[in-house]
Amino acid sequence: MSNPDDLPFDLTIRVRDLCVCLHVQRAARAVARRYDDALRPAGLTNGQFSLMMSLNRPTPPSIRSVSTLLAMDRTTLTANLKPLERRGLVTVAVDESDRRSRLLALTDAGRALLIEAMPIWERTHAELEALITASDPDTLRADLRALS
């Protein structure tokens, strides 16, 4: 049996107050909830919005490039694509230049839904940026990029 003195409560307080991982996770969950709540009337989650927006490109991207952009493994990305594909918002097609690869594209319905969701995103984005008062949002984004 371990000794409670080996892990004093003041260490818990220290981790609570200083742990970058904990603070980033808490902020990420809070931000995600705000976007989820805001995008719900459009029938999207924040993750679906980000995924669909990542497909808004001149040429269809590969699963690999989207998974890299979203910092998501390909298996998770494929699972997240399925409901969007069933709703007719995205397509997944074989890449004719490499038949092992898949290319992702927005459908007309997907593009229309993103157009509908953009004012919601812009309003929510502005509200969140207004909450960043200890620094400017560009500095925060740069600091977060440094962590990834």
Side-chain angles (χ1 to χ4, degrees):
M1 181 177 269
S2 66
N3 181 350
D5 294 333
D6 292 343
L7 188 64
F9 181 65
D10 64 322
L11 290 178
T12 301
I13 301 303
R14 181 171 171 230
V15 169
R16 179 200 69 193
D17 293 346
L18 300 179
C19 182
V20 172
C21 183
L22 174 63
H23 287 274
V24 169
Q25 286 176 331
R26 289 181 67 195
R29 285 191 284 270
V31 168
R33 275 192 305 273
R34 283 184 80 128
Y35 277 104
D36 281 342
D37 291 344
L39 290 165
R40 190 169 292 114
L44 291 172
T45 66
N46 77 85
Q48 290 170 331
F49 176 86
S50 295
L51 172 50
M52 289 175 60
M53 190 56 73
S54 76
L55 305 183
N56 186 37
R57 304 183 192 191
T59 59
S62 68
I63 284 182
R64 168 176 259 139
S65 70
V66 172
S67 69
T68 299
L69 173 71
L70 298 176
M72 182 183 290
D73 66 73
R74 284 181 277 177
T75 304
T76 302
L77 175 58
T78 299
N80 288 337
L81 283 165
K82 289 189 185 307
L84 298 174
E85 198 175 9
R86 281 192 300 269
R87 289 174 61 188
L89 302 173
V90 302
T91 60
V92 180
V94 172
D95 182 349
E96 293 304 323
S97 66
D98 178 359
R99 301 209 41 88
R100 296 168 298 166
S101 184
R102 301 291 178 263
L103 298 177
L104 310 175
L106 289 171
T107 63
D108 289 344
R111 192 171 309 285
L113 186 55
L114 280 181
I115 290 168
E116 175 189 334
M118 273 310 299
I120 297 168
W121 178 88
E122 290 192 5
R123 182 181 65 248
T124 307
H125 176 75
E127 290 168 357
L128 286 167
E129 277 202 345
L131 296 174
I132 300 168
T133 58
S135 71
D136 70 279
D138 289 331
T139 300
L140 174 60
R141 281 185 282 273
D143 288 344
L144 291 171
R145 277 191 297 275
L147 297 176
S148 59

